[in-house]
């Protein structure tokens, strides 16, 4: 029986077995692809196709080094098999070696100019390798974002435009991402948010102001302006914008929190406490308001209550060095020196780890 099955397998044409592996890979069935690969290898053990698909299965299994080694071995045999360069480029991309990825993806595109996956991965490799100008022509060619990249095309393209200071095109990319008209107030707001994230504060402010001009009642526009002014320590302006946001968007927890932050900076601690309580009532899942509440209550001399707020923040996020540090200071004020030393030590260790990662 075994001999008969083996004979049947050997009689199966290679292209049929290869198509079976390909079908399983396209269906994202890695286990099925591995099983189909075994059939191909048993039937045609020395074939270039078997080596190629072994590399692809290793890639899908997350074994990028092994996939690269297998594909390099195949390439060294001067076998003209389409897709080898593309798979090598994809494996290097997944490894985070973007220079090597680009090196193999460029010939893959020359091999097949319509290979959308190779085009998108080359654009991403340039972007992630710190070359947004080189990335743009390839990212502009991508109409449908394919799954291996695991990112959004419009977002990456928009960021490339920001980094090359082509803000109108960035706005169009983000408008497409959020499915809004490119000249709408919403498109300016979304672009302002992305600009702020990329630390382009002056342009972010300009775009947020444009959004307000186009639609003074658009939610979150005044909030963004308030964040910008708070960052610049322009506290009166920040307070004004946050108040405008609350008049339009009274259920937005983050605005109460940020307005409380602004009031705390001008030592209006009672106002800050009242706003923080509202923020927490609306959203009890965010640690920021609890941490700021701890600071505000400590400034008011209500250290026991400050400790409770900070303990709540710590229960939600035990790895925040700021919370440990503030809690240590509060314990010290209460004379709980042993607890204080423990929290200050943990806070210092966590901060050191964060600094090392940066």
């Amino acid at each position: 029986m075994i001999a008969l099955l083996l004979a049947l397998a050997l009689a199966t044409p290679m292209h049929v077995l290869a198509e079976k592996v390909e079908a399983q890979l396209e269906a994202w069935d890695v286990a099925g692809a591995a099983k189909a690969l075994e059939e191909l290898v048993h039937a045609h053990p020395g074939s270039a196709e078997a080596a190629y698909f072994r590399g692809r299965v290793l890639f899908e299994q997350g074994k990028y080094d092994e996939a690269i080694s297998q594909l390099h071995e195949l390439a060294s045999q001067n076998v003209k098999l389409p897709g080898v360069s593309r798979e090598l480029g994809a494996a290097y991309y997944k490894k985070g070696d973007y220079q090597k990825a680009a090196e193999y993806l460029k010939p893959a595109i020359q091999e097949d100019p319509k290979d959308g996956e190779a085009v998108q991965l080359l654009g991403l490799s340039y972007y992630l390798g710190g070359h947004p100008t080189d990335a743009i022509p390839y990212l502009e060619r991508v109409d449908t974002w394919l799954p291996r990249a695991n990112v959004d095309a419009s977002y990456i393209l928009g960021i490339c435009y920001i980094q090359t200071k082509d803000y109108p095109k960035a706005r169009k990319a983000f408008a497409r991402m959020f499915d809004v008209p490119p000249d709408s107030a919403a498109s300016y707001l979304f672009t302002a948010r992305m600009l702020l994230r990329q630390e382009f504060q002056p342009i972010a402010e300009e775009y947020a102001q444009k959004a307000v001009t186009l639609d003074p009642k658009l939610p979150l526009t005044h909030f963004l302006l308030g964040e910008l002014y708070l960052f610049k320590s322009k506290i009166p302006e920040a307070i004004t914008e946050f108040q405008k946001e609350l008049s339009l968007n009274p259920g937005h927890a983050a605005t109460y929190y940020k307005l409380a932050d602004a009031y705390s900076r001008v030592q209006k601690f009672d106002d800050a406490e009242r706003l923080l309580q509202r923020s927490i009532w609306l959203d009890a899942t965010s640690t920021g308001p609890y941490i700021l509440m701890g600071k505000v209550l400590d400034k008011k001399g209500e250290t026991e209550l400050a400790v409770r707020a900070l303990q709540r923040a710590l229960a939600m996020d035990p790895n925040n060095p700021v919370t440990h540090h503030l809690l240590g200071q509060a314990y010290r004020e209460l004379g709980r020196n042993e607890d204080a030393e423990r929290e200050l030590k943990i806070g210092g260790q966590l901060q050191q780890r964060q600094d090392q990662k940066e």
Side-chain angles (χ1 to χ4, degrees):
M1 184 65 180
I2 294 173
L4 177 61
L5 289 172
L6 182 59
L8 288 171
L10 287 168
T12 306
M14 183 163 58
H15 76 274
V16 174
L17 295 171
E19 286 171 4
K20 187 176 179 181
V21 184
E22 182 71 52
Q24 296 297 326
L25 288 170
E26 288 182 357
W28 297 94
D29 183 354
V30 180
K35 188 174 180 181
L37 175 64
E38 287 180 16
E39 296 179 46
L40 176 59
V41 171
H42 287 153
H44 306 279
S47 68
E49 284 78 1
Y52 169 68
F53 280 109
R54 186 183 296 115
R56 287 189 62 183
V57 169
L58 286 166
F59 175 94
E60 297 300 341
Q61 290 172 333
K63 301 174 182 177
Y64 304 126
D65 286 325
E66 292 177 50
I68 288 168
S69 177
Q70 174 68 50
L71 292 165
H72 270 306
E73 184 179 338
L74 182 59
S76 69
Q77 297 170 9
N78 292 319
V79 178
K80 300 298 181 183
L81 197 64
V84 175
S85 294
R86 190 263 304 273
E87 293 303 318
L88 274 167
Y92 277 118
Y93 173 84
K94 284 291 187 179
K95 270 194 70 177
D97 189 339
Y98 303 118
Q99 184 176 342
K100 275 283 187 184
E103 181 182 323
Y104 285 97
L105 290 165
K106 280 190 284 188
I109 293 172
Q110 291 171 353
E111 218 173 70
D112 181 4
K114 295 182 180 179
D115 186 343
E117 183 174 73
V119 170
Q120 72 170 358
L121 289 179
L122 180 55
L124 284 170
S125 296
Y126 280 133
Y127 164 71
L128 294 167
H131 303 285
T133 303
D134 295 328
I136 287 171
Y138 296 101
L139 297 178
E140 286 177 333
R141 288 168 57 183
V142 180
D143 293 323
T144 303
W145 214 235
L146 301 173
R148 280 206 207 185
N150 197 30
V151 293
D152 187 277
S154 297
Y155 173 74
I156 296 296
L157 183 56
I159 296 301
C160 285
Y161 285 136
I162 286 176
Q163 292 177 351
T164 55
K165 300 182 179 180
D166 192 340
Y167 308 121
K169 284 189 177 179
R171 190 182 75 251
K172 290 176 183 177
F174 296 131
R176 180 180 178 185
M177 186 169 80
F178 288 101
D179 197 21
V180 298
D183 294 322
S184 65
S187 73
Y188 278 94
L189 172 61
F190 295 140
T191 308
R193 173 59 66 186
M194 300 305 173
L195 285 160
L196 182 59
R197 185 176 294 173
Q198 294 293 311
E199 299 184 356
F200 284 67
Q201 286 90 357
I203 310 300
E205 182 178 350
E206 177 188 324
Y207 269 53
Q209 292 285 8
K210 179 68 174 179
V212 170
T213 301
L214 291 170
D215 185 355
K217 294 185 178 181
L218 181 66
L220 299 181
T221 309
H222 291 288
F223 176 74
L224 177 56
L225 282 168
E227 284 187 299
L228 277 163
Y229 293 138
L230 197 61
F231 176 79
K232 294 179 177 181
S233 297
K234 298 169 74 170
I235 306 304
E237 292 87 344
I239 289 172
T240 298
E241 293 300 333
F242 289 135
Q243 287 173 336
K244 286 180 181 178
E245 183 65 37
L246 287 177
S247 70
L248 298 169
N249 195 7
H252 191 231
T255 303
Y256 288 103
Y257 165 49
K258 291 293 185 179
L259 182 55
D261 189 3
Y263 277 131
S264 73
R265 297 189 193 195
V266 291
Q267 300 184 14
K268 291 186 176 182
F269 299 122
D270 289 334
D271 290 331
E273 182 184 356
R274 173 175 51 83
L275 292 162
L276 286 167
Q277 188 59 68
R278 292 179 184 179
S279 179
I280 291 167
W281 284 333
L282 288 167
D283 179 11
T285 65
S286 178
T287 59
Y290 285 105
I291 295 170
L292 184 56
M293 182 71 89
K295 289 182 184 180
V296 167
L297 290 169
D298 188 54
K299 291 290 185 182
K300 291 180 65 177
E302 299 175 16
T303 312
E304 288 282 3
L305 292 175
V307 165
R308 289 185 199 175
L310 292 167
Q311 286 174 333
R312 178 65 182 271
L314 204 59
M316 296 165 69
D317 181 8
N319 295 317
N320 189 325
V322 174
T323 313
H324 285 284
H325 183 76
L326 291 171
L327 189 55
Q329 289 180 322
Y331 280 143
R332 183 174 287 168
E333 289 174 23
L334 293 172
R336 296 170 57 176
N337 293 327
E338 188 175 333
D339 291 331
E341 292 306 314
R342 181 190 69 244
E343 294 301 327
L344 290 169
K345 182 179 179 182
I346 294 171
Q349 290 171 339
L350 289 170
Q351 187 62 57
Q352 186 176 16
R353 285 177 205 163
Q354 285 188 9
D355 293 342
Q356 287 172 347
K357 287 179 182 178
E358 293 174 3

